[in-house]
């Protein structure tokens, strides 16, 4: 048997959610073996097959993006990134683990949905991956299946208060699923928007001739996000279940989460870079350009951003994920010309998250450690992957990013690696860039060149949420 390959990363500032320390890192095979101070006897004694010089750079854990949709079916088309292209782009952006959503279809079992997503991802991924399960059909059979999925490491279930006729669950079904989760340790993830009311507003807008992309944002009212968030929280309280609200975009919804957390409830919120850096102004771009910015929950007026940033600092929002669900402008987003309700919902972003959040550090909105907490540690803890993922410590997977905090770049579709024909952040200048990425000790990005391979990424069974007070 061959000797385990050893890599040493020397000279960098190691940043985790808990610490910033000038340290060298020893990697043996797929795991981190040791950290030691620069110039210490311990570090000096390490021999290695490969040495990476991180002088003047940050050394951070690989990002964990807990909300992606590769090859997601939507409105007669599919998200344009496959697991092969999407995970490669993720690696370019310093993310080394994604958790994607397997979809159950109405009338089918959870197992069929999960198996279908395993088939899509198997031997395709450049980085590690896990699955959440979308519950579209809550019934006696699927409730029993939830227990089995939790046992085998698919420990989170997404329900929708939006999209009647597709993914929508009524309050009774939501309550049943929450009650089941309260018994089996699963975490309920909620798309919190009042879809029944939104459909009325969509119908009225179209009847009035309001067909442009900007009306997508106007009909999906912030108050209907807040109302659904409030209702989800109360249902979770009745069921005694934890709740994770996805893609929070509105100040009023944040207030509902903050109130629940002030009560000490196991209620958590996620937001996404698009809500922090983009706004309803983008949806209103002329010549149907606004279609590029159609996602749900929608982009809000710019004044909502301050509430989101504040909530990230106070931990009323705990995680930043991308909700990466790309559709090309030509041929996909264009399906909604003349009817905003037919524009496929979703934005590309899996490659941009770490850089955009670092830009927030540069601008003084977040600390460096909070950057790593939001992008790496908190999602890993939330979804039962910590401390294997999300930190740099002996025994952790060697998912490591060497990050140049001084390099400047301009985000553009010309240079990104996502399989989509536009960038939501086209022309945005940011400071900070991924230089080198290791996944389980293997180089994926080596000094800004891709050396990874489809099939390196392994499926990651997950434990239950590590933030629950009652466990």
């Amino acid at each position: 048997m061959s000797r385990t390959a050893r890599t040493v990363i020397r000279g960098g500032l190691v940043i985790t959610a808990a610490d910033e320390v000038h340290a060298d890192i020893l990697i043996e095979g797929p795991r981190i073996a040791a950290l030691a101070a620069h110039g210490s006897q311990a570090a000096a004694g390490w021999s290695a097959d490969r040495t990476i010089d991180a002088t003047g750079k940050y050394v951070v854990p690989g990002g964990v993006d807990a909300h992606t949709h590769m090859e997601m079916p939507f409105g007669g088309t599919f998200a344009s990134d496959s697991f092969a292209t999407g995970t490669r782009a993720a690696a370019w952006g310093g993310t080394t683990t994604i958790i994607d959503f397997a979809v159950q279809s109405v009338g089918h079992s959870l197992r069929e949905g999960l198996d279908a997503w395993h088939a899509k991802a198997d031997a395709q991924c450049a980085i590690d991956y896990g699955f959440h399960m979308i519950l579209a059909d809550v019934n006696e059979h699927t409730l029993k299946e939830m227990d089995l999925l939790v046992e085998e490491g698919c420990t989170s279930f997404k329900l929708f208060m939006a999209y009647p006729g597709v993914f929508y669950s009524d309050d009774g079904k939501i309550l049943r699923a929450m009650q089941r989760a309260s018994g089996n340790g699963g975490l309920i993830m909620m798309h919190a928007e009042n879809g029944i009311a939104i459909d009325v507003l969509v119908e009225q807008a179209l009847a009035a001739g309001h067909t442009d992309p900007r009306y997508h944002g106007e009909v999906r009212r912030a108050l209907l996000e807040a109302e659904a968030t409030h209702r989800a929280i109360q249902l979770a309280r009745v069921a005694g279940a934890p709740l994770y609200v996805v893609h929070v975009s509105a100040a009023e919804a944040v207030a509902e989460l903050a109130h629940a957390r002030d009560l000490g409830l196991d209620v958590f919120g996620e937001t996404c870079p698009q809500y922090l850096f983009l706004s309803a102004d983008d949806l209103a771009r002329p010549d149907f350009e606004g279609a590029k910015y159609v996602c749900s929950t929608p982009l809000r007026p710019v004044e909502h951003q301050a509430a989101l940033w504040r909530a990230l600092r106070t931990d009323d929002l705990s995680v930043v994920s991308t909700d990466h669900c790309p559709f090309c402008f030509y041929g996909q987003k264009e399906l909604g010309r003349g009817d905003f309700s037919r524009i496929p919902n979703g934005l590309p972003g899996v490659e941009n998250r770490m850089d955009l959040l670092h830009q927030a550090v540069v601008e003084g909105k977040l600390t460096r450690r909070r950057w790593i907490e939001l992008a790496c540690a908190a999602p890993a803890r939330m979804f039962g992957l910590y401390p294997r993922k999300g930190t740099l410590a002996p025994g952790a997977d060697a998912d490591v990013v060497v990050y140049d905090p001084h390099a400047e770049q301009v985000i553009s579709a010309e240079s990104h690696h996502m399989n989509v024909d536009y960038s939501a952040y086209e022309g945005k200048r940011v400071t900070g860039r991924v230089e080198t990425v290791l996944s389980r000790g293997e180089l994926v990005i080596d000094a800004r060149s891709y050396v990874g391979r489809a099939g390196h990424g392994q499926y990651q069974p997950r434990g239950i949420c590590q933030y629950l007070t009652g466990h």
Side-chain angles (χ1 to χ4, degrees):
M1 212 176 125
S2 67
R3 189 177 62 78
T4 307
R6 290 160 65 105
T7 300
V8 173
I9 303 174
R10 295 201 188 270
L13 175 65
V14 174
I15 307 171
T16 65
D19 274 316
E20 299 186 9
V21 55
H22 289 279
D24 298 345
I25 298 181
L26 173 64
I27 296 165
E28 292 185 343
R31 296 217 160 77
I32 293 173
L35 284 80
H38 296 333
S40 63
Q41 269 186 309
W46 294 339
S47 63
D49 305 282
R50 179 198 301 128
T51 300
I52 297 170
D53 181 9
T55 306
K57 314 277 167 56
Y58 297 160
V59 181
V60 301
V64 178
D65 191 343
H67 191 150
T68 67
H69 297 283
M70 308 302 174
E71 299 177 45
M72 166 90 171
F74 194 103
T77 188
F78 285 84
S80 57
D81 263 318
S82 65
F83 279 91
T85 64
T87 56
R88 192 167 64 222
W92 272 104
T95 287
T96 54
T97 307
I98 61 164
I99 313 179
D100 204 85
F101 286 87
V103 179
Q104 175 215 12
S105 310
V106 175
H108 295 266
S109 67
L110 300 187
R111 173 66 56 200
E112 283 175 80
L114 191 55
D115 286 349
W117 256 254
H118 271 298
K120 291 184 194 205
D122 187 45
Q124 297 302 308
C125 296
I127 58 169
D128 290 348
Y129 62 97
F131 292 123
H132 311 288
M133 190 78 228
I134 287 178
L135 275 178
D137 193 359
V138 178
N139 58 51
E140 282 312 309
H141 179 70
T142 56
L143 288 167
K144 288 197 182 85
E145 279 192 288
M146 285 174 74
D147 298 350
L148 298 171
L149 263 59
V150 170
E151 280 173 25
E152 61 185 63
C154 178
T155 55
S156 36
F157 303 90
K158 186 178 180 188
L159 288 141
F160 287 80
M161 296 168 130
Y163 305 130
V166 187
F167 291 136
Y168 173 80
S169 294
D170 65 32
D171 289 2
K173 289 183 171 175
I174 288 168
L175 181 66
R176 285 183 190 277
M178 285 176 166
Q179 287 171 331
R180 199 77 186 197
S182 118
N184 65 26
L187 180 61
I188 297 292
M189 309 172 74
M190 189 62 72
H191 180 130
E193 286 187 290
N194 187 324
I196 302 287
I198 286 167
D199 275 10
V200 171
L201 297 176
V202 169
E203 194 183 315
Q204 291 169 345
L206 293 173
H210 297 156
T211 61
D212 290 342
R214 57 177 278 217
Y215 294 103
H216 169 83
E218 294 188 14
V219 299
R220 302 187 90 90
R221 301 278 178 85
L223 287 175
L224 295 177
E225 181 185 348
E227 182 277 328
T229 303
H230 177 84
R231 187 158 33 104
I233 291 166
Q234 305 315 322
L235 289 167
R237 292 176 77 179
V238 169
L243 175 68
Y244 178 95
V245 181
V246 296
H247 51 53
V248 175
S249 66
E252 296 88 343
V254 169
E256 297 289 346
L257 292 169
H259 179 62
R261 290 177 64 78
D262 288 347
L263 295 175
L265 303 175
D266 282 330
V267 171
F268 310 95
E270 161 197 280
T271 192
C272 311
Q274 54 266 35
Y275 307 117
L276 298 167
F277 292 94
L278 303 171
S279 75
D281 295 347
D282 295 295
L283 267 178
R285 290 187 185 203
D287 302 326
F288 199 65
E289 281 281 305
K292 294 175 177 178
Y293 297 93
V294 166
C295 58
S296 297
T297 51
L299 301 181
R300 301 292 181 195
V302 72
E303 49 270 22
H304 287 264
Q305 290 179 358
L308 298 176
W309 285 114
R310 190 165 57 247
L312 288 174
R313 290 190 291 271
T314 59
D315 204 40
D316 288 317
L317 291 171
S318 303
V319 170
V320 177
S321 308
T322 58
D323 193 9
H324 175 78
C325 192
F327 298 97
C328 288
F329 181 66
Y330 295 105
Q332 289 190 300
K333 291 285 189 179
E334 286 183 322
L335 295 169
R337 275 192 191 273
D339 180 349
F340 69 83
S341 72
R342 296 186 177 279
I343 300 169
N345 281 224
L347 292 187
V350 75
E351 188 171 348
N352 306 127
R353 181 182 67 125
M354 296 290 281
D355 289 333
L356 288 168
L357 288 175
H358 180 261
Q359 183 62 25
V361 175
V362 172
E363 292 170 11
K365 292 189 173 87
L366 299 173
T367 65
R368 289 187 292 212
R369 286 184 296 178
R370 186 64 178 153
W371 167 45
I372 298 307
E373 185 152 33
L374 291 166
C376 312
R381 284 197 177 101
M382 192 69 68
F383 297 107
L385 288 168
Y386 194 88
R388 203 165 78 243
K389 307 292 187 188
T391 192
L392 299 174
D397 284 354
D399 297 351
V400 189
V401 175
V402 178
Y403 194 85
D404 184 343
H406 308 296
E408 295 190 0
Q409 57 168 320
V410 177
I411 299 176
S412 173
E414 306 256 306
S415 52
H416 75 202
H417 303 85
M418 298 175 286
N419 186 36
V420 63
D421 62 4
Y422 74 96
S423 170
Y425 308 98
E426 186 66 45
K428 183 172 178 63
R429 292 183 167 278
V430 297
T431 301
R433 193 175 68 180
V434 171
E435 190 169 279
T436 294
V437 177
L438 294 95
S439 165
R440 281 180 288 107
E442 287 191 25
L443 282 167
V444 184
I445 308 292
D446 184 8
R448 300 290 303 158
S449 63
Y450 178 76
V451 294
R453 60 182 174 87
H456 163 76
Q458 293 179 356
Y459 173 68
Q460 303 291 310
R462 300 180 288 108
I464 62 170
C465 176
Q466 292 161 280
Y467 284 118
L468 304 186
T469 52
H471 289 266

